[in-house]
Amino acid sequence: MTVLVNLCRLILGVTFVFSGYVKAVDPIGTQYKLQDYLEAIGLAGSVPDFITLGCAILLAAFEFTMGLLMLFAIRRRLVSKLCTAFMVIMTLITVWIAIANPVKDCGCFGDAIHLSNQATLLKNIVLLACAIVVVRRPLLMYRFLSPSTQWIAINFTILYILLTSVYCLYHLPIFDFRPYHIGANIKQGMTIPPGAEQPKFHTTFIMEKDGVRKEFTLDNYPDSTWQFIDSKTEQISEGYVPPIHDFSIQLADGDDITDSILSRKGYTFLLISPHLAQADDSNFGGIDQLYEYAQEQKIPFYCLTASTEKEIQHWENITGAEYPFCITDETTLKTIIRSNPGLLLLKNGTIIQKWSHNDLPTGDQLQGPLNKLPIGQLPGNQVGKTIAKILLWFFLPLILLVLADRSWAWSKYLRGKIKANEERLKEEGEKIENKSNQILSTFKTNNNEKENRSR
């Protein structure tokens, strides 16, 4: 039973930590998923954005903290009950998702892992079973920290995960799991490889003859004596869907310039803003400076938006923007970058840099041709460095805390054993001394009696 409880505790802890962390590094993406759920139940637009964003941050913090506390067996009774209650709620939600199919992806693991609704339900059933095992015997979980030091790990974990969300909200997600990550070639991401599975459709024809209607397929299509009434086509298999399948850029007059931008040799700046009415205009001076630099270097500069003509005109009035505006799908723009506005730098159709509006290149970084500047180069693989930083700033302090706590507990145990041994030896010494005194007293008594008799 101890092995089973600790195995379930490990499964729950790792899953909760991973699920919470991938949500925390992309709070806006989690917000979008919550808005999808609200739309599915008919509450789209009724909940303010700041509430959905706050709920996204708190949800990520709750999952991550519960997972970490489960792994370290901190507040075992309370945490096991909270995890079980959470899994009951999540399982009921995924039952509804599996039946009604209101969203294609539950968003359990953000953009890191996409699961079908049926796979999500199965996953939650397994996690719920693990939570029930743990909540029945929580004290069988091996504890790494003493009760007196657990508050340090709790406060440190909550503070760390909240600051992570705030950092990624102000800048950009430190891990980018979307198809528009740095190093991705957009045109290649839209390509369907040769031999890939194609979508499959099933067509049914409704025909009539002598007042009788029947349904036929292509395999048993009737002769010309039957009159065609209607047809129904259903997609029975999606086939291969490229990672990027909805990217297009259109000018205001309707001309599609997608291929000309993605096929261009050299650099291209793309300012991204799903809705200019909601965009942060505090750094419009930096954007204008970038546009002037692009003109000097003869680098194309476009603003991609899903805004209306009125919103575009308002943005031009308040910022003095002179760069051209193009129309792109709103969902695509939200997927490309988690900042409104945000900036992309393409080279030969490949994304080589992404910036939040809070981190735009400054004048000092724009001295000279782009191909000779650090910002004009594709950065190396940063994943390893990022993981190392996480291990250094979060897990290393916790590991040191555990080592210090266990060392103190072990030294306390040794001190207790030594003290107990000393007390035992003292008691035994006192017993021996008392026994010796009794023997000596008896011996003296006997001697006195002999002396008295001899007299």
Side-chain angles (χ1 to χ4, degrees), residues 280-412:
D280 190 317
D281 60 0
S282 59
N283 293 321
F284 72 88
I287 298 174
D288 292 341
Q289 185 179 25
L290 276 166
Y291 176 61
E292 293 174 2
Y293 170 80
Q295 284 186 308
E296 292 174 1
Q297 300 294 325
K298 295 182 171 47
I299 300 173
F301 189 110
Y302 300 95
C303 177
L304 309 188
T305 183
S307 304
T308 62
E309 184 176 348
K310 184 178 180 180
E311 290 174 336
I312 294 174
Q313 187 174 6
H314 178 70
W315 178 264
E316 290 175 330
N317 291 336
I318 64 175
T319 65
E322 298 179 354
Y323 37 81
F325 291 84
C326 302
I327 304 302
T328 301
D329 178 68
E330 175 187 356
T331 302
T332 300
L333 296 175
K334 289 180 176 180
T335 305
I336 291 174
I337 193 167
R338 303 301 199 204
S339 178
N340 186 17
L343 184 68
L344 258 65
L345 177 60
L346 304 184
K347 184 178 182 180
N348 303 332
T350 298
I351 301 173
I352 66 170
Q353 295 287 355
K354 298 173 76 170
W355 295 280
S356 162
H357 63 85
N358 296 311
D359 301 309
L360 296 174
T362 61
D364 295 337
Q365 298 173 287
L366 300 173
Q367 301 295 325
L370 201 53
N371 60 353
K372 295 182 180 179
L373 299 178
I375 64 171
Q377 314 304 317
L378 181 66
N381 189 357
Q382 301 293 316
V383 176
K385 292 182 179 179
T386 304
I387 294 175
K389 289 179 181 178
I390 294 171
L391 295 175
L392 178 64
W393 289 105
F394 180 69
F395 287 103
L396 182 59
L398 286 179
I399 293 172
L400 293 177
L401 176 64
V402 170
L403 292 176
D405 181 86
R406 292 299 87 193
S407 298
W408 175 256
W410 178 247
S411 64
K412 185 178 179 181

Side-chain angles (χ1 to χ4, degrees), residues 72-272:
F72 283 80
I74 297 174
R75 303 293 299 273
R76 292 173 288 185
R77 290 188 179 93
L78 176 61
V79 170
S80 60
K81 291 178 182 178
L82 290 175
C83 287
T84 303
F86 182 78
M87 285 315 307
V88 168
I89 296 172
M90 289 296 103
T91 303
L92 292 176
I93 292 176
T94 49
V95 168
W96 166 62
I97 294 174
I99 296 174
N101 196 34
V103 293
K104 290 185 178 181
D105 175 41
C106 71
C108 300
F109 301 118
D111 287 305
I113 300 176
H114 294 280
L115 297 176
S116 66
N117 292 337
Q118 290 71 25
T120 300
L121 176 59
L122 179 61
K123 180 260 297 179
N124 281 355
I125 291 174
V126 172
L127 292 178
L128 178 60
C130 291
I132 292 174
V133 170
V134 171
V135 79
R136 288 173 61 88
R137 304 292 292 275
L139 298 184
L140 291 181
M141 290 189 286
Y142 179 76
R143 189 167 58 191
F144 293 99
L145 290 172
S146 303
S148 59
T149 57
Q150 289 180 358
W151 66 272
I152 301 176
I154 295 173
N155 292 335
F156 177 69
T157 300
I158 295 173
L159 181 64
Y160 173 84
I161 199 63
L162 289 177
L163 288 179
T164 296
S165 290
V166 172
Y167 177 87
C168 294
L169 189 63
Y170 186 81
H171 302 284
L172 289 176
I174 56 179
F175 290 105
D176 193 347
F177 301 106
R178 288 154 291 150
Y180 298 94
H181 57 82
I182 292 177
N185 185 282
I186 298 178
K187 195 169 185 178
Q188 291 179 2
M190 300 168 64
T191 304
I192 299 178
E197 183 180 356
Q198 298 296 318
K200 295 180 181 179
F201 300 90
H202 178 74
T203 303
T204 302
F205 300 93
I206 302 174
M207 313 292 287
E208 182 177 344
K209 181 179 180 180
D210 299 332
V212 178
R213 291 190 177 185
K214 288 186 178 182
E215 293 186 357
F216 298 90
T217 64
L218 288 173
D219 296 330
N220 62 347
Y221 195 84
D223 56 34
S224 57
T225 59
W226 288 80
Q227 182 181 0
F228 174 81
I229 302 298
D230 197 5
S231 65
K232 297 182 295 182
T233 301
E234 295 178 292
Q235 184 174 348
I236 59 176
S237 175
E238 287 190 356
Y240 177 81
V241 179
I244 301 174
H245 53 275
D246 48 8
F247 183 85
S248 66
I249 304 173
Q250 291 185 340
L251 294 174
D253 58 7
D255 289 343
D256 192 304
I257 60 173
T258 309
D259 188 65
S260 62
I261 290 178
L262 299 183
S263 301
R264 184 180 185 277
K265 300 297 181 181
Y267 295 99
T268 304
F269 281 109
L270 296 180
L271 182 67
I272 308 295

Side-chain angles (χ1 to χ4, degrees), residues 12-69:
L12 279 172
V14 170
T15 304
F16 270 61
V17 166
F18 180 74
S19 176
Y21 190 78
V22 296
K23 290 185 179 75
V25 298
D26 187 11
I28 294 181
T30 307
Q31 178 192 22
Y32 291 157
K33 182 54 64 177
L34 292 179
Q35 290 173 341
D36 289 342
Y37 281 107
L38 291 174
E39 184 177 355
I41 60 177
L43 295 178
S46 59
V47 180
D49 288 346
F50 74 91
I51 292 181
T52 55
L53 181 59
C55 289
I57 294 174
L58 292 177
L59 175 63
F62 176 82
E63 288 190 42
F64 183 84
T65 303
M66 287 299 103
L68 198 284
L69 299 187

